[in-house]
Amino acid sequence: MHTVLKGATLIDGTDRDPLTHSVLIFDETKIVNIGTEEAIPIPDNSKVYDVSGLFIIPGLIDCHIHMDLHGMADTFQENLVKDKLRAIRTAKEMEDTLRAGYTTVRNLGSVNGIDFAVRQAIDAGWVKGPRIITSGKIICMTCSGTEYFSGMYRIADGVDENRKAAREQLKAGADVLKVMATGAIMNPGGVPGAAQLGVDEMRAVIEEGAKLGIPTAAHAHGAQGIKNAVEAGVATIEHGTMADDEAIEMMVKKNVFLVPTLLVDNLICKAGERNEIPAFMVEKAERIKEKRHLVFKKAISAGVKIAMGTDAGTPFNFHGKNSMELDLYVREKLMTPLKALQTATRDAAEAIGLSDRLGTLEKNKIADCLVLGKNPLEDIGCLLDLKNIRMVFKQGMLQKGWSGNGHAAND
């Protein structure tokens, strides 16, 4: 049976102009046809939704979340919540993420297999949630601060240990691997600018993933760590806060994506003003916030590809509020609304290696799409309004929206 959305203005995620009076036809999985109401015949026995006056966009993609973190002011408090409760909470928050229009997320670090369990539950249809691409544990060297996130890190020193650590995550079911190329902000003792795993250590992880066609992402704030990660062969740089000109040039040359996670510093600094967050996090975030924005602008100007990621789950960075990152890009005049939207659709799909299936609304791609009440190219902030997200389709199946009487369900 086919599903048909007709009459809306369709924004397909490419650079093409929006298509007015559109028809979008898909089956249980893939897009079958796209065109105008005049040009595209509607198949017999189709389920037809008249969405005239509304807007259709591709399903959104967040390239960097931590699905089992809850946005607590002090992330150490996560350690006091039992894993079985964290798993239930994670499932609920992945449903919130789907309702907010995110049909795919890339999870870059979770504790004790919660990510794999919730992914399995979603795939089995036990609960609703986005398509989950997940890394398992984060691979890092012996360093200060890992105990702040008990069970999230796989400590590995030397080439052989890193190779084994990668194999362990792959055995557990990882779709992506993550390495620590530098220190971090959100643990005590972490030095964001300091390089950590070496080129050979990261290359061992990357080689193991490559055997199965699985890419590697690198947490990297400092310039030397970024350069080490790019030289080793990572697919994406997460954060990229202190990238220098050489690092940016290397990223362009090697076609490495930047996932900037700009929202994190803003939220931490605002919470710091209210004394709601550990002082060490605030001090580090304030020190690098402006630098991160400047690097982001320079990277865009140089031609670095950008993929949207929120770091959702970090302090006050709640699941289901992912589009705050897109709103920030536009409010601070870093991007146009279209370019911001593309970082969470077309460009995000390319960054995570799924551009042949996701990211744009084109024939034979997976039918992930949203129906909106307002035009995001005029107000990207409309993506933060759940009532504006009238329908969510994931892989051709309605996840949120129309009730049996033909009216959009309230949310």
Side-chain angles (χ1 to χ4, degrees):
M1 180 177 175
H2 291 95
T3 298
V4 179
L5 304 178
K6 73 180 185 75
T9 297
L10 187 144
I11 302 163
D12 66 8
T14 71
D15 292 326
R16 290 189 285 266
D17 290 336
L19 181 66
T20 58
H21 306 291
S22 67
V23 171
L24 176 64
I25 304 173
F26 48 88
D27 57 22
E28 289 80 4
T29 56
K30 292 186 177 181
I31 296 171
V32 174
N33 215 342
I34 301 177
T36 63
E37 291 183 89
E38 293 179 352
I40 303 297
I42 295 175
D44 293 338
N45 301 317
S46 297
K47 176 66 175 177
V48 180
Y49 296 95
D50 186 341
V51 289
S52 299
L54 305 181
F55 300 85
I56 299 173
I57 65 171
L60 300 170
I61 302 169
D62 190 332
C63 293
H64 189 135
I65 72 165
H66 295 280
M67 57 195 284
D68 56 322
L69 299 183
H70 185 57
M72 291 181 175
D74 186 347
T75 45
F76 183 77
Q77 299 300 312
E78 296 284 0
N79 299 319
L80 307 181
V81 183
K82 294 181 179 179
D83 284 353
K84 57 188 177 184
L85 295 177
R86 290 179 73 171
I88 294 169
R89 188 189 67 192
T90 298
K92 185 266 180 189
E93 293 186 334
M94 288 303 95
E95 183 174 6
D96 291 344
T97 300
L98 181 64
R99 289 169 61 244
Y102 285 80
T103 53
T104 303
V105 295
R106 186 174 64 152
N107 182 66
L108 292 180
S110 286
V111 307
N112 304 330
I114 289 174
D115 51 339
F116 299 123
V118 174
R119 182 186 65 183
Q120 182 179 350
I122 291 171
D123 291 346
W126 300 343
V127 293
K128 289 185 177 181
R131 182 179 298 102
I132 294 175
I133 310 300
T134 191
S135 68
K137 294 184 178 183
I138 303 167
I139 300 172
C140 73
M141 70 179 202
T142 300
C143 61
S144 174
T146 52
E147 65 281 355
Y148 212 72
F149 296 92
S150 179
M152 183 176 285
Y153 292 100
R154 169 49 165 98
I155 296 173
D157 297 310
V159 170
D160 289 343
E161 280 194 29
N162 273 272
R163 192 177 301 279
K164 183 175 182 179
R167 290 174 177 175
E168 289 172 354
Q169 307 319 305
L170 294 169
K171 179 181 178 180
D175 313 286
V176 60
L177 296 169
K178 183 183 178 185
V179 294
M180 294 291 286
T182 72
I185 293 173
M186 283 178 288
N187 54 28
V191 181
Q196 290 199 353
L197 289 176
V199 174
D200 289 344
E201 292 173 309
M202 287 187 280
R203 187 171 288 145
V205 172
I206 292 162
E207 287 173 352
E208 292 305 311
K211 292 176 182 177
L212 297 174
I214 287 175
T216 299
H219 165 106
H221 287 293
Q224 188 57 54
I226 294 169
K227 288 181 273 194
N228 290 346
V230 173
E231 182 181 347
V234 299
T236 62
I237 293 293
E238 312 300 312
H239 316 304
T241 309
M242 306 173 198
D244 59 16
D245 291 346
E246 182 183 7
I248 289 172
E249 183 180 347
M250 289 175 67
M251 291 178 69
V252 173
K253 184 176 181 180
K254 294 291 184 87
N255 198 34
V256 174
F257 273 81
L258 173 64
V259 183
T261 64
L262 291 187
L263 184 64
V264 179
D265 294 337
N266 287 48
L267 293 174
I268 289 177
C269 291
K270 286 181 180 178
E273 294 172 2
R274 302 189 300 266
N275 296 316
E276 293 177 339
I277 203 164
F280 74 85
M281 290 188 198
V282 178
E283 187 275 327
K284 285 190 275 187
E286 287 181 339
R287 182 155 29 98
I288 66 176
K289 177 183 174 184
E290 295 305 319
K291 177 71 173 177
R292 197 193 301 243
H293 280 63
L294 291 172
V295 166
F296 185 54
K297 290 179 181 178
K298 185 179 289 188
I300 293 172
S301 297
V304 174
K305 292 182 178 180
I306 307 297
M308 192 279 273
T310 60
D311 225 350
T314 55
F316 299 99
N317 192 356
F318 300 112
H319 299 287
K321 300 294 185 181
N322 311 62
S323 290
M324 288 194 298
E325 180 87 7
L326 299 178
D327 188 52
L328 181 65
Y329 295 167
V330 177
R331 279 192 297 104
E332 299 205 0
K333 296 181 171 54
L334 299 168
M335 290 183 175
T336 66
L338 175 59
K339 183 56 186 172
L341 184 64
Q342 288 173 333
T343 69
T345 53
R346 181 193 65 184
D347 300 340
E350 183 183 351
I352 63 176
L354 295 176
S355 59
D356 59 330
R357 287 169 274 176
L358 300 172
T360 57
L361 297 176
E362 298 178 274
K363 191 174 180 179
N364 295 322
K365 286 198 173 183
I366 292 173
D368 283 11
C369 66
L370 314 180
V371 178
L372 307 176
K374 296 180 181 179
N375 185 351
L377 302 188
E378 294 179 355
D379 176 17
I380 197 76
C382 74
L383 294 173
L384 286 165
D385 181 1
L386 286 179
K387 291 183 178 179
N388 178 59
I389 301 172
R390 305 291 182 83
M391 306 175 80
V392 176
F393 288 89
K394 173 190 165 192
Q395 203 151 320
M397 303 299 293
L398 182 62
Q399 305 292 314
K400 165 187 171 177
W402 245 254
S403 61
N405 61 10
H407 297 289
N410 291 327
D411 229 319

